[in-house]
Amino acid sequence: QVQLVESGGGLVQPGGSLRLSCAASGRSFSSYAMGWFRQAPGKAREFVAAISQNGGSTYYADSVKGRFTISRDNAKNTMYLQMNSPNPEDTAVYYCAASISYAAVRASQPHYWGQGTQVTVSS
Protein backbone atom coordinates (compact mmCIF):
# COMPACT_ATOMS: atom_id res chain seq x y z
CA GLN A 1 0.00 0.00 0.00
CA VAL A 2 1.23 3.52 -0.78
CA GLN A 3 -0.34 6.88 -0.05
CA LEU A 4 0.16 9.74 -2.49
CA VAL A 5 -0.18 13.49 -1.93
CA GLU A 6 0.22 16.04 -4.72
CA SER A 7 1.30 19.64 -4.26
CA GLY A 8 2.51 22.59 -6.29
CA GLY A 9 -0.58 23.32 -8.33
CA GLY A 10 -1.90 26.82 -8.90
CA LEU A 11 -2.24 29.55 -11.47
CA VAL A 12 0.48 29.89 -14.11
CA GLN A 13 0.69 32.14 -17.14
CA PRO A 14 0.98 30.68 -20.63
CA GLY A 15 4.64 30.19 -21.43
CA GLY A 16 5.61 30.15 -17.76
CA SER A 17 6.66 27.19 -15.66
CA LEU A 18 5.38 25.19 -12.72
CA ARG A 19 6.61 22.14 -10.83
CA LEU A 20 4.28 19.62 -9.31
CA SER A 21 5.36 17.24 -6.55
CA CYS A 22 3.96 13.93 -5.39
CA ALA A 23 5.02 12.74 -1.94
CA ALA A 24 4.61 9.05 -1.19
CA SER A 25 4.37 7.24 2.12
CA GLY A 26 3.86 3.62 3.03
CA ARG A 27 5.73 0.75 1.48
CA SER A 28 9.03 1.22 -0.36
CA PHE A 29 8.68 4.07 -2.86
CA SER A 30 11.42 2.68 -5.08
CA SER A 31 9.31 -0.44 -5.70
CA TYR A 32 6.69 1.56 -7.56
CA ALA A 33 6.51 2.88 -11.07
CA MET A 34 4.88 6.28 -11.01
CA GLY A 35 2.86 8.46 -13.32
CA TRP A 36 1.00 11.70 -13.79
CA PHE A 37 -2.51 11.93 -15.17
CA ARG A 38 -4.88 14.84 -15.62
CA GLN A 39 -8.57 15.58 -15.97
CA ALA A 40 -9.93 18.74 -17.53
CA PRO A 41 -13.51 19.91 -16.91
CA GLY A 42 -15.98 17.83 -18.88
CA LYS A 43 -13.29 15.47 -20.15
CA ALA A 44 -12.07 12.01 -19.24
CA ARG A 45 -8.91 11.56 -17.22
CA GLU A 46 -5.87 11.18 -19.48
CA PHE A 47 -2.30 9.96 -19.22
CA VAL A 48 0.47 12.58 -19.04
CA ALA A 49 3.75 10.85 -18.18
CA ALA A 50 5.22 7.75 -16.54
CA ILE A 51 8.54 6.90 -14.92
CA SER A 52 10.02 3.52 -14.04
CA GLN A 53 11.03 2.43 -10.56
CA ASN A 54 14.65 3.55 -10.85
CA GLY A 55 13.88 6.54 -13.07
CA GLY A 56 15.78 5.08 -15.99
CA SER A 57 12.79 4.98 -18.30
CA THR A 58 10.22 7.68 -18.98
CA TYR A 59 7.23 7.90 -21.28
CA TYR A 60 5.12 10.89 -22.31
CA ALA A 61 1.84 11.68 -23.96
CA ASP A 62 2.40 13.37 -27.33
CA SER A 63 0.57 16.46 -26.09
CA VAL A 64 3.24 17.22 -23.46
CA LYS A 65 6.38 15.73 -25.01
CA GLY A 66 9.19 18.28 -25.11
CA ARG A 67 7.44 20.60 -22.63
CA PHE A 68 6.94 18.51 -19.48
CA THR A 69 9.55 16.44 -17.65
CA ILE A 70 8.84 13.69 -15.15
CA SER A 71 11.45 12.80 -12.55
CA ARG A 72 11.77 11.18 -9.15
CA ASP A 73 14.00 11.23 -6.09
CA ASN A 74 13.77 7.84 -4.38
CA ALA A 75 15.76 9.11 -1.38
CA LYS A 76 13.02 11.69 -0.78
CA ASN A 77 10.07 9.44 -1.72
CA THR A 78 8.97 12.12 -4.16
CA MET A 79 8.08 12.37 -7.82
CA TYR A 80 7.97 15.59 -9.85
CA LEU A 81 6.43 17.01 -12.99
CA GLN A 82 8.23 20.05 -14.40
CA MET A 83 5.79 21.92 -16.64
CA ASN A 84 7.44 24.32 -19.07
CA SER A 85 5.63 26.47 -21.61
CA PRO A 86 2.16 25.40 -20.49
CA ASN A 87 -0.83 26.54 -22.50
CA PRO A 88 -4.52 26.91 -21.55
CA GLU A 89 -5.21 23.37 -22.84
CA ASP A 90 -3.05 22.07 -19.98
CA THR A 91 -5.56 23.37 -17.43
CA ALA A 92 -6.75 20.37 -15.40
CA VAL A 93 -6.63 18.58 -12.09
CA TYR A 94 -3.35 16.67 -12.05
CA TYR A 95 -3.15 13.33 -10.29
CA CYS A 96 -0.16 11.23 -9.38
CA ALA A 97 -0.47 7.48 -9.48
CA ALA A 98 1.56 4.40 -8.66
CA SER A 99 1.80 0.74 -9.50
CA ILE A 100 4.21 -2.14 -9.00
CA SER A 101 4.00 -2.51 -12.80
CA TYR A 102 5.49 0.13 -15.10
CA ALA A 103 3.44 -1.32 -17.93
CA ALA A 104 0.28 -0.74 -15.91
CA VAL A 105 1.09 2.94 -15.43
CA ARG A 106 1.86 3.35 -19.14
CA ALA A 107 -1.44 1.64 -19.91
CA SER A 108 -3.28 4.10 -17.64
CA GLN A 109 -4.10 1.35 -15.16
CA PRO A 110 -2.23 2.24 -11.97
CA HIS A 111 -3.33 0.80 -8.66
CA TYR A 112 -2.99 3.83 -6.39
CA TRP A 113 -4.07 7.43 -6.85
CA GLY A 114 -3.55 10.74 -5.12
CA GLN A 115 -6.32 13.29 -4.54
CA GLY A 116 -5.19 15.69 -7.25
CA THR A 117 -3.97 19.27 -7.50
CA GLN A 118 -5.51 21.98 -9.69
CA VAL A 119 -3.39 23.61 -12.40
CA THR A 120 -4.84 26.61 -14.21
CA VAL A 121 -3.02 28.14 -17.16
CA SER A 122 -4.29 31.62 -17.84
CA SER A 123 -3.09 35.17 -18.36
Side-chain angles (χ1 to χ4, degrees), residues 21-107:
S21 298
C22 173
S25 60
R27 294 183 61 183
S28 177
F29 178 69
S30 60
S31 298
Y32 292 92
M34 303 291 295
W36 288 99
F37 295 78
R38 67 187 182 185
Q39 187 167 20
K43 295 186 177 181
R45 187 156 52 188
E46 65 176 3
F47 169 82
V48 175
I51 188 165
S52 61
Q53 285 84 339
N54 66 3
S57 179
T58 57
Y59 180 67
Y60 296 91
D62 288 344
S63 59
V64 306
K65 198 174 297 182
R67 300 186 299 121
F68 293 5
T69 302
I70 189 171
S71 62
R72 66 189 295 163
D73 185 338
N74 285 349
K76 295 182 178 179
N77 288 1
T78 304
M79 174 183 66
Y80 306 97
L81 184 69
Q82 179 67 41
M83 304 172 62
N84 293 334
S85 299
N87 55 58
E89 290 71 38
D90 295 316
T91 295
V93 177
Y94 282 72
Y95 298 89
C96 70
S99 175
I100 293 296
S101 166
Y102 181 45
V105 177
R106 291 184 52 167

